[in-house]
Amino acid sequence: MKVERIVANIATSDIAAAKRFYQDVLGLDLLMDMGWIATYGSEERMQVQVSFMAQGGSGTPVPDLSIEVDDVDAALDAMKAAGFAVEYGPADEPWGVRRFYVRDPFGRLVNILEHR
């Protein structure tokens, strides 16, 4: 298992407010808008994205950090083996990811995911 991407998620009740700063001023593209999440970035290969979320999807809380991996089930097994409690999932979500939530040692809710 290797990390594919790390995405920071920012909780907000005003997702549209991100457009002016991140799209209009910084020039990032709106890559995804599902109403409860808007993701800005570029079609070019990048290591960083910023998402603005009103909820975590599927009725979950907004995670503090999302980490994309190439094998989510291997990551799940490794987390369990290390003694980290899974707080959500694993779940195959309708937007095409398999994921689970776990807290890091600092108490941050981390969304570990794989695109399917």
Side-chain angles (χ1 to χ4, degrees):
M1 188 273 309
K2 70 175 184 170
V3 173
E4 296 280 328
R5 178 176 61 141
I6 297 175
V7 178
N9 301 306
I10 299 172
T12 180
S13 60
D14 186 10
I15 293 169
K19 181 185 181 299
R20 182 169 179 263
F21 186 85
Y22 289 94
Q23 187 174 24
D24 298 346
V25 176
L26 292 178
L28 294 175
D29 299 318
L30 179 62
L31 301 178
M32 177 177 62
D33 185 356
M34 298 178 74
W36 54 270
I37 180 174
T39 302
Y40 293 87
S42 172
E43 293 300 326
E44 293 184 35
R45 186 75 172 149
M46 298 179 77
Q47 301 302 316
V48 178
Q49 290 182 335
V50 179
S51 296
F52 297 86
M53 306 170 76
Q55 53 130 327
S58 296
T60 66
V62 174
D64 296 301
L65 186 64
S66 292
I67 301 176
E68 183 178 348
V69 297
D70 64 346
D71 187 338
V72 74
D73 292 313
L76 177 65
D77 291 343
M79 287 290 176
K80 287 181 177 178
F84 292 102
V86 173
E87 294 194 14
Y88 173 76
D92 294 309
E93 302 290 9
W95 55 90
V97 300
R98 180 166 173 75
R99 69 180 182 157
F100 66 93
Y101 282 5
V102 64
R103 289 205 184 266
D104 74 6
F106 313 104
R108 294 289 160 203
L109 189 60
V110 181
N111 174 31
I112 308 291
L113 68 117
E114 175 185 358
H115 280 88
R116 294 291 175 136

